[in-house]
Amino acid sequence: MDDNAFFERSILAAAAGPQDEDAVRQLRELFSPAEFAAWEAFRAGVLAVIVAVEHDDEGDRYIAEWGEFGIQGTSPLSYEAAIDDLVPHVRAWATELRDAAPRLGTTAELAGLVTAVDALSDDELRTALLVRVSFDRGGLTFGLVEFVEEDGTTTQRAVPFADGRPPSEIDLPVDGRMKTYQSSTRGDRVAFSPVGSGPSIGDTLRQEDPTGDVDAEFPRTDFRPDD
């Protein structure tokens, strides 16, 4: 899988929850059955640790890090190869903690993580790490929003949020060309529609509640992260 495909799948998986029907449908297609089952387990709270990934441009290497424990896997090849390298390091971390627990003690949380890791084969552990990937960094996070097309159909996608705010516009490849979408917000709800056409979030809300008051706020600033 190339970097772009890996990135798109990972940010969708990180932003979506079991209640997000369209995103779940997409993930069923993007993940293998074993990966999708591992993602569902993760979302249910099993082995609730994030795997932060990044590309170190200066060192020209991919990095995958296990939670906040300082355990890393690296590779010059790809994000997935970095996760492959992370597997034995996580295994060694769990073994060290388990063996040291009688002498040094442990916490219920750490003991639970060690038990969960020990219960997985190497292949299962790799899959568990793969579905926990996060590209969030500091104030840059990825959230799930709806894209409303000209015909009213909607698709859920993950987009970057800067300090909790969505971009005012975003360009996406559609049918071989780039298409610009604009965002509209109301409270904590965000939707994107094609620039110059198509329904806004206000139209969607009016359909849901034709007699209600609709007061949509349109962001004026472009919050896209720097390239």
Side-chain angles (χ1 to χ4, degrees), residues 1-12 30 62 77-80 135 142 157-158 172-173 178:
M1 178 180 293
D2 66 31
D3 285 357
N4 287 337
F6 183 87
F7 172 78
E8 293 292 342
R9 186 183 72 175
S10 297
I11 62 173
L12 181 65
L30 295 169
Y62 297 85
L77 302 177
S78 67
Y79 293 113
E80 290 180 284
F135 281 87
F142 291 87
R157 295 176 181 264
L172 294 176
M178 297 305 293

Side-chain angles (χ1 to χ4, degrees), residues 94-107 111 114:
T95 299
E96 183 178 347
L97 284 181
R98 184 184 64 247
D99 293 346
R103 293 181 291 107
L104 303 178
T106 187
T107 65
V114 169

Side-chain angles (χ1 to χ4, degrees), residues 12-209:
L12 181 65
Q19 74 284 356
D20 299 310
E21 294 183 4
D22 183 62
V24 169
R25 175 192 60 77
Q26 295 176 61
L27 290 172
R28 283 187 182 277
E29 297 175 356
L30 295 169
F31 280 140
S32 70
E35 290 167 347
F36 184 77
W39 177 81
E40 286 187 307
F42 170 47
R43 282 307 186 209
V46 178
L47 200 62
V49 178
I50 296 296
V51 175
V53 299
E54 63 178 324
H55 184 262
D56 175 12
D57 294 335
E58 184 176 345
D60 194 20
R61 61 177 185 156
Y62 297 85
I63 301 172
E65 183 165 356
W66 169 243
E68 298 180 354
F69 302 107
I71 310 299
Q72 291 187 344
T74 63
S75 172
L77 302 177
S78 67
Y79 293 113
E80 290 180 284
I83 291 172
D84 290 342
D85 184 59
L86 181 61
V87 170
H89 295 298
V90 173
R91 182 74 71 196
W93 167 85
T95 299
E96 183 178 347
L97 284 181
R98 184 184 64 247
D99 293 346
R103 293 181 291 107
L104 303 178
T106 187
T107 65
E109 182 181 5
L110 280 177
L113 285 175
V114 169
T115 299
V117 170
D118 284 345
L120 300 174
S121 67
D122 285 350
D123 284 345
E124 290 169 337
L125 179 55
R126 179 190 183 278
T127 299
L129 299 178
L130 185 70
V131 301
R132 286 161 172 75
V133 163
S134 172
F135 281 87
D136 290 358
R137 279 292 178 274
L140 177 64
T141 59
F142 291 87
L144 198 69
V145 301
E146 287 193 343
F147 281 73
V148 186
E149 298 296 343
E150 290 91 343
D151 61 2
T153 59
T154 61
T155 303
Q156 291 180 316
R157 295 176 181 264
V159 302
F161 282 62
D163 296 324
R165 298 171 296 186
S168 59
E169 291 186 354
I170 193 167
D171 295 324
L172 294 176
V174 177
D175 296 331
R177 63 183 179 87
M178 297 305 293
K179 189 172 182 178
T180 301
Y181 294 82
Q182 63 186 358
S183 67
S184 54
T185 63
R186 183 174 187 266
D188 60 354
R189 296 188 61 176
V190 181
F192 283 80
S193 59
V195 169
S197 63
S200 68
I201 194 171
D203 299 320
T204 302
L205 292 170
R206 289 188 188 92
Q207 291 176 2
E208 295 174 355
D209 184 10

